[in-house]
Amino acid sequence: MSTLALRGPYWVTVRQYRRPLWLTGALVLAALAVIGGLRIWDLQYPDVYVGDGYQHVADNNSGYKLLREAIKQFSHAMLLLPLLIGALVAGPLTAREFESGTYKLSLTQSIGPAHWLRAKLLTAVAAALATTLVLTAAYRIGWPRVAGTYRLHWADPGPYMSIGTVLFAYALLAVTVGVLVGQLIHRTLAAMAVTGGVVGVIMLVLGAFRWDLLPVRTLTGPARADASPLGMPGNGLFIDQGLVATSGKQLSGWSCYADGQSTGCRSDVDIASQYLTYQPRSHFWPTQLIETGIVLALAALAAYAAFRLLRARHP
C-alpha cells in the first residue's frame, strides 16, 4: 500500500462521507468550468479603444455581461462558504456521530478519542481548503476582467473575501468551530444552526472593523462656495468627506454651494478647508494579513477547546 494512501480513521471518515465529497468536488469543478467558459467567450469580443484611451466593451459582448453577473453572484456565494463549511462539519461530521452513538464504535477500534477527533478535523480541513483553493482560482479567472465595475470594487465584501487569504482562514475557523459546537450540542440541526450563527457573527464583527485596522489617509483642500469636493485618488476606498473648522474639528458632509447667496460654506461655523479620508489600494494586503492572523488565532483557540473538551469527557 502506498504511503500516501489513507489509513485508519482517515480512510473511514473519507469513506463515510464520500458522496458529499464527490458532490462538493463536482460543484466546484462546475463553477471552474462556468467561469472559465465565460472568460473564453468574453475573449472573442475584444474591447474597442477611442482616442482618449477610454475602454469600451462591445455592445454585443454577451460573454462579458454574463461573466460580470456570474462574478457578482459568485461573490455572494463566497461570503456564504465559511457558514456552509461550518454547518456541515458541526452537523453531519460531528454532532450526528454523538447523536447516533456511532462514535463509540470508532473508539473501540484501538484508537483513542484524540486520534478519532484529529482524523475528523484534518479530513475536514483538507476538504475545506481544497474547495476554497479551487473556488478562489475560479474567481480569479474572471476577476481581472470585471474588477472595479459597479459593486465589484476590491474593498467590497465579496471580492475582498475572494481574492485574498482571509477566506482560507475563515474556512479553517468554520471547521474548528464546527467540531467544537458538534461536541457541545449533540443534535445535528441545532449544531448546524449554532455554528452558522457563530461563524456569521465573527465575520460580521471583523467585517465591520476591518478598515479600522490601518490608519486612513486624508486629503485636504480649499473650501469656498465655488469649490468642488475633493476627488478620490486612484482606486481607493471612500471613508468620509466634509469640512474642517478653524478649530480643527472635522464636520462630516458637504455644504459648499455656489448659489449666489453666500460667500462661504457654512454660516454657523468658520471653515478653514475641506477633507477626504480613504483607504488606498495599497492597504489591501496588509489588511488581509492582519485579519487572517486574527481569524487563525480564533481557529486555533477553537481547536484547542475542542480537544480539551474531548479529553474531559473521554479521558
Side-chain angles (χ1 to χ4, degrees):
M1 180 180 292
S2 170
T3 56
L4 295 178
L6 294 172
R7 299 176 181 177
Y10 299 95
W11 182 87
V12 172
T13 301
V14 172
R15 179 71 177 173
Q16 186 177 6
Y17 299 98
R18 62 189 182 280
R19 290 181 180 176
L21 290 174
W22 278 111
L23 178 60
T24 300
L27 292 175
V28 168
L29 292 178
L32 182 62
V34 168
I35 299 299
L38 290 176
R39 187 67 180 95
I40 293 173
W41 186 6
D42 169 55
L43 291 174
Q44 307 305 311
Y45 299 91
D47 294 334
V48 177
Y49 292 86
V50 295
D52 61 1
Y54 188 82
Q55 187 179 36
H56 295 276
V57 178
D59 293 337
N60 61 344
N61 190 348
S62 299
Y64 172 82
K65 297 174 183 177
L66 290 176
L67 176 64
R68 188 184 179 285
E69 184 62 27
I71 292 296
K72 188 168 69 173
Q73 299 304 322
F74 204 166
S75 299
H76 301 322
M78 295 290 260
L79 285 174
L80 298 176
L81 181 62
L83 280 66
L84 181 60
I85 291 174
L88 292 177
V89 171
L93 191 66
T94 308
R96 191 168 66 183
E97 294 279 324
F98 290 99
E99 185 178 15
S100 62
T102 54
Y103 78 99
K104 297 178 181 178
L105 178 61
S106 300
L107 298 182
T108 63
Q109 306 301 312
S110 301
I111 62 172
H115 192 188
W116 170 79
L117 183 61
R118 185 162 52 249
K120 294 281 186 182
L121 181 63
L122 293 180
T123 302
V125 165
L129 291 183
T131 300
T132 304
L133 178 62
V134 178
L135 289 177
T136 300
Y139 192 92
R140 280 189 165 274
I141 290 175
W143 169 251
R145 184 71 169 106
V146 300
T149 58
Y150 180 61
R151 292 187 177 179
L152 287 174
H153 188 267
W154 60 268
D156 289 337
Y160 174 85
M161 289 281 289
S162 305
I163 61 176
T165 59
V166 72
L167 185 61
F168 293 89
Y170 278 113
L172 289 175
L173 176 67
V175 171
T176 55
V177 170
V179 168
L180 175 60
V181 173
Q183 290 188 77
L184 292 172
I185 304 175
H186 296 176
R187 294 292 182 269
T188 302
L189 294 179
M192 293 174 70
V194 171
T195 300
V198 170
V199 175
V201 168
I202 294 175
M203 292 177 65
L204 286 174
V205 171
L206 291 179
F209 292 100
R210 67 170 53 112
W211 299 117
D212 296 325
L213 297 174
L214 294 175
V216 299
R217 292 186 181 178
T218 302
L219 294 178
T220 58
R224 303 183 305 270
D226 59 346
S228 299
L230 294 170
M232 175 68 64
N235 193 25
L237 170 65
F238 175 84
I239 300 298
D240 190 22
Q241 187 170 34
L243 305 173
V244 181
T246 53
S247 63
K249 182 180 179 180
Q250 290 186 340
L251 307 172
S252 182
W254 183 255
S255 58
C256 297
Y257 303 100
D259 55 7
Q261 300 179 2
S262 173
T263 57
C265 292
R266 288 183 58 166
S267 59
D268 57 330
V269 180
D270 291 331
I271 300 299
S273 61
Q274 62 170 305
Y275 73 93
L276 182 146
T277 56
Y278 69 101
Q279 287 285 5
R281 179 66 173 82
S282 60
H283 282 184
F284 173 81
W285 281 111
T287 303
Q288 280 271 335
L289 295 178
I290 293 172
E291 186 173 353
T292 297
I294 294 173
V295 177
L296 288 178
L298 294 175
L301 183 62
Y304 175 76
F307 279 97
R308 290 282 296 181
L309 178 62
L310 184 69
R311 292 191 185 98
R313 292 182 175 180
H314 305 279

